[in-house]
Amino acid sequence: MSTLGTTERPAAGGRFKFGDSLAGYGFLAPWLVGFFLLTLGPAIASFYLSLTDYSGLGAANWVGAENYVRIATDDPRFWTAMNVTFTFVLLSVPLKLIFALAVAVALNRGLEGLSFFRAIFYLPSLVGGSVAVAVLWRQVFAGDGLLNQALNMLFGFEGPSWISNPSTSLYTLVLLAVWQFGSSMIIFLAGLRQIPQDMYEAASIDGAGKARQFFKITLPLLTPVIFFNAVILTIDAFKAFTSAFVISDGTGGPIDSTLFYTLYLYQEAFTNFRFGYASALAWVLVLIIAFFTAMSFLTARYWVHYDD
Amino acid sequence: MTDATLSTTTIAPRADAAEPSVSPWKRALLYALLVAVSFLMLYPLLWMVASSFKPDSEIFTSTGLIPAEPTVDAYRRGWGGLSVSFGWMFFNSLVISLLVVVGNLFSCSMAAYAFTRLRFKGRSFWFTLMLGTLMMPQHAVLIPQYVLFLKLGWVNSILPLVVPKFLAIDAFFIFLMVQFFRGIPRELDEAAIMDGCGPLRIFLKVILPLSTPVLATAAVFSFIWTWDDFFAPLIYLNDIEKYTAQLGLRTFVDSTGTSDWGSLFAMSTLTVLPIFILFILFQRLLIEGIATTGMKR
């Protein structure tokens, strides 16, 4: 990953010429400027700010670890946000993976119209993050929304307002996330294509049924793709923002039931102008994501099967 | 026949031909299931579009898709529903999205070219750092970036949304292009060098013309993601005249509450329309982009 692999060739005589370096750094210049000014510099500054009480105006006073201590011991909304975010991640990621895999396996059975279905299932992923879909979701799960109209028509059931009820509001957002399983499904489809067909032929000659083939061939050979999807989906789920913001009018309500971590971070930074505290919150999020990613990679060797 | 011979090699040629032994019965069931799921998936979107052509009274009484009395009244009301017309916000979105496309193509292709084709000291080091930035959540740099743009006096302009893209901030696209550039035979560069071409001419005359597929993929995704972006405009744009369509739509939700669903759906439909169009035009490109690189969303 970190080297350039096959394209790496020793330069003539094994020495770099000045002209080569000039061209190299010339082409790399925009990225280098961006890297120092917009990534590395801000990352360092953000860590520094997290140790201050900076408000955007005036001076940034050094407060040491105070922000982090407050996060851990004296901020109930932080724990609410953690609770909401983890519930969201732990529900939406596995459900998305299961749907994406199930549909991909179904589509991979030599059906006509593969590209048609693939496109239809992918469309929600493409538009799902937009404000328009959040607006739509708000209506679908409202008291007089589409879902309750349908329930009423089909079963004569008078549903509550799912969006404004704190015990159901988060689940409407989980559903919105699961609805966008399409891009994971496409990655699964690509993975399924890589599985050698002769393995299935050999297995069926040995008398293995479809279910057995799925659990003994498809699933193990697909573990690298499952792993990849799981990591990407988890990182994305931790960063979810737009839908909760639009649906709750930026509040994370009702009574903080949809207060996603990023939404809380946004409120602290851009509503309350606690830049120092928000920077600390940002670093806590970075650490959580890094922890999960590292854990996935560490546990991966026990269940991810690489073909080598 | 060809499948059988090919499958003795390692990779099956086409997934379409996989598991041909499914019985007609099961096939029919599978189709029925897929059609049902597709319908459920698409229904909310179709219903939104349909509702935008219904009078308000009808939105709340029918779950059907065909408006009994189709009207474009909701579009008329929605278009002028804010102090600035939606047309203006669409124009803002379009300008920002197109500039981002240009910025990403320009800066990311240059970086990818340097990483794959040029030899210079520290190349591997910078490449590793670039990959590191891929994993870095934007939140870690969000606030200092905001403060920087504030100090530069760029807040409440499109500069914070566009300028970073000219500095290859979307490392993801660099990575995408690196993967593609690696596949272009190096013999072509060498032949060009024999002909006396320098790095710039090789980049412009050899690499870029051969890279239209990856450039197109990067362009389409850049456009869609920028068009759909809500967070950055929310932070950086304050005046309603500078709003993007996404911000306008959100303001519209606030100002109308839940009273005017018709025009809300009309404007919602308009904001997703460009994405629908790009989706229809570049469907294969988008799907291949996702499949080969595992892009998010």
Side-chain angles (χ1 to χ4, degrees):
Chain A
M1 262 302 256
S2 63
T3 61
L4 290 162
T6 52
T7 60
E8 195 103 48
R9 279 189 191 183
R15 292 182 62 90
F16 286 98
K17 277 183 284 181
F18 177 69
D20 285 348
S21 281
L22 196 69
Y25 282 98
F27 275 93
L28 211 54
W31 178 79
L32 280 169
V33 173
F35 176 72
F36 283 106
L37 244 54
L38 297 171
T39 305
L40 186 64
I44 295 167
S46 157
F47 185 66
Y48 168 74
L49 286 181
S50 78
L51 303 169
T52 71
D53 65 355
Y54 191 49
S55 66
L57 293 167
N61 300 308
W62 180 266
V63 297
E66 197 180 280
N67 288 329
Y68 292 95
V69 172
R70 201 184 123 204
I71 287 172
T73 60
D74 193 25
D75 184 356
R77 287 195 92 206
F78 165 79
W79 294 106
T80 306
M82 288 287 272
N83 196 5
V84 167
T85 308
F86 271 86
T87 309
F88 178 73
V89 171
L90 292 176
L91 284 177
S92 71
V93 173
L95 283 174
K96 254 172 126 158
L97 283 175
I98 291 168
F99 267 105
L101 183 59
V103 174
V105 168
L107 280 183
N108 198 40
R109 299 205 155 196
L111 296 181
E112 303 288 319
L114 169 83
S115 55
F116 172 76
F117 285 118
R118 198 175 50 181
I120 287 194
F121 291 137
Y122 174 55
L123 185 63
S125 294
L126 199 61
V127 298
S130 66
V131 175
V133 167
V135 168
L136 171 65
W137 228 246
R138 226 168 107 131
Q139 203 287 337
V140 168
F141 290 97
D144 52 1
L146 181 63
L147 177 70
N148 284 341
Q149 286 176 44
L151 287 177
N152 196 10
M153 210 173 70
L154 295 171
F155 310 109
F157 173 77
E158 288 290 338
S161 170
W162 311 91
I163 287 279
S164 53
N165 181 345
S167 58
T168 51
S169 53
L170 181 56
Y171 302 102
T172 65
L173 291 173
V174 170
L175 215 60
L176 175 54
V178 176
W179 183 59
Q180 300 164 49
F181 69 82
S183 59
S184 313
M185 178 208 70
I186 287 171
I187 299 168
F188 275 133
L189 267 174
L192 287 168
R193 245 166 228 246
Q194 301 294 315
I195 299 178
Q197 286 308 300
D198 52 355
M199 295 191 87
Y200 292 109
E201 283 157 27
S204 72
I205 290 166
D206 290 345
K210 284 276 180 253
R212 214 179 143 74
Q213 288 182 21
F214 177 76
F215 286 106
K216 292 288 172 188
I217 300 173
T218 312
L219 219 46
L221 287 182
L222 216 53
T223 43
V225 186
I226 298 173
F227 174 67
F228 177 85
N229 268 338
V231 170
I232 297 286
L233 287 180
T234 306
I235 292 175
D236 271 0
F238 271 116
K239 297 197 290 194
F241 178 81
T242 303
S243 54
F245 185 95
V246 173
I247 288 173
S248 73
D249 282 334
T251 64
I255 49 173
D256 283 354
S257 60
T258 61
L259 186 70
F260 282 7
Y261 196 94
T262 51
L263 188 47
Y264 180 47
L265 177 66
Y266 169 84
Q267 290 179 356
E268 284 295 293
F270 299 103
T271 314
N272 302 328
F273 294 102
R274 296 191 193 114
F275 282 171
Y277 193 64
S279 298
L281 285 174
W283 276 102
V284 171
L285 178 65
V286 171
L287 286 181
I288 292 172
I289 292 177
F291 174 77
F292 268 83
T293 316
M295 283 305 288
S296 329
F297 278 93
L298 284 176
T299 56
R301 46 191 270 230
Y302 299 109
W303 64 277
V304 177
H305 170 106
Y306 287 102
D307 196 24
D308 54 32
Chain B
M1 189 59 212
T2 46
D3 277 349
T5 42
L6 278 172
S7 64
T8 54
T9 63
T10 47
I11 292 171
R14 289 162 56 82
D16 314 37
E19 301 187 43
S21 55
V22 183
S23 73
W25 240 112
K26 277 189 180 166
R27 251 181 127 76
L29 197 72
L30 207 54
Y31 273 120
L33 210 68
L34 285 173
V35 170
V37 174
S38 312
F39 188 69
L40 258 178
M41 297 270 301
L42 280 191
Y43 199 84
L45 288 174
L46 294 174
W47 183 81
M48 175 179 87
V49 176
S51 296
S52 70
F53 294 105
K54 290 174 184 173
D56 257 12
S57 58
E58 207 188 320
I59 295 177
F60 292 100
T61 50
S62 90
T63 52
L65 290 183
I66 313 292
E69 299 162 55
T71 164
V72 291
D73 199 42
Y75 284 86
R76 207 172 305 130
R77 269 178 296 143
W79 193 257
L82 295 170
S83 61
V84 173
S85 93
F86 259 88
W88 182 245
M89 296 175 185
F90 277 93
F91 177 73
N92 290 339
S93 284
L94 193 69
V95 169
I96 293 170
S97 303
L98 288 177
L99 284 172
V100 166
V101 169
V102 173
N104 272 341
L105 290 188
F106 163 82
S107 63
C108 296
S109 65
M110 280 175 65
Y113 177 67
F115 284 132
T116 52
R117 291 308 224 242
L118 300 174
R119 282 187 289 272
F120 55 94
K121 253 192 195 123
R123 181 178 64 160
S124 295
F125 172 75
W126 295 119
F127 187 69
T128 310
L129 276 182
M130 190 276 291
L131 290 180
T133 64
L134 269 179
M135 325 235 166
M136 176 119 164
Q138 277 307 297
H139 303 88
V141 293
L142 175 71
I143 288 160
Q145 275 186 6
Y146 180 83
V147 174
L148 173 72
F149 293 134
L150 193 67
K151 298 248 148 114
L152 288 171
W154 288 6
V155 169
N156 204 18
S157 80
I158 66 169
L159 292 172
L161 306 176
V162 167
V163 172
K165 310 294 177 175
F166 281 86
L167 299 174
I169 199 76
D170 282 341
F172 173 74
F173 289 117
I174 305 181
F175 183 65
L176 183 76
M177 290 178 195
V178 161
Q179 297 297 84
F180 190 90
F181 289 179
R182 277 177 179 173
I184 300 173
R186 289 190 73 94
E187 284 72 18
L188 294 172
D189 302 30
E190 280 151 20
I193 292 170
M194 295 294 173
D195 291 345
C197 287
L200 183 64
R201 295 240 334 241
I202 296 175
F203 178 61
L204 293 176
K205 302 276 173 188
V206 178
I207 302 292
L208 286 187
L210 289 172
S211 304
T212 40
V214 76
L215 297 178
T217 307
V220 175
F221 274 109
S222 288
F223 188 94
I224 292 178
W225 290 348
T226 312
W227 182 273
D228 250 2
D229 188 24
F230 176 65
F231 192 68
L234 176 70
I235 291 177
Y236 288 116
L237 304 176
N238 304 328
D239 296 343
I240 196 164
E241 300 85 50
K242 289 169 181 153
Y243 273 15
T244 60
Q246 304 294 335
L247 281 186
L249 188 57
R250 196 256 154 170
T251 311
F252 200 65
V253 177
D254 282 359
S255 63
T256 55
T258 48
S259 55
D260 193 358
W261 282 106
S263 51
L264 204 49
F265 285 149
M267 294 308 105
S268 296
T269 303
L270 287 183
T271 62
V272 291
L273 193 64
I275 298 175
F276 277 132
I277 294 172
L278 286 175
F279 173 70
I280 289 163
L281 290 179
F282 298 107
Q283 203 206 98
R284 250 195 56 202
L285 226 130
L286 290 167
I287 284 173
E288 275 168 17
I290 296 279
T292 53
T293 62
M295 273 186 268
K296 60 193 172 99
R297 278 178 271 191

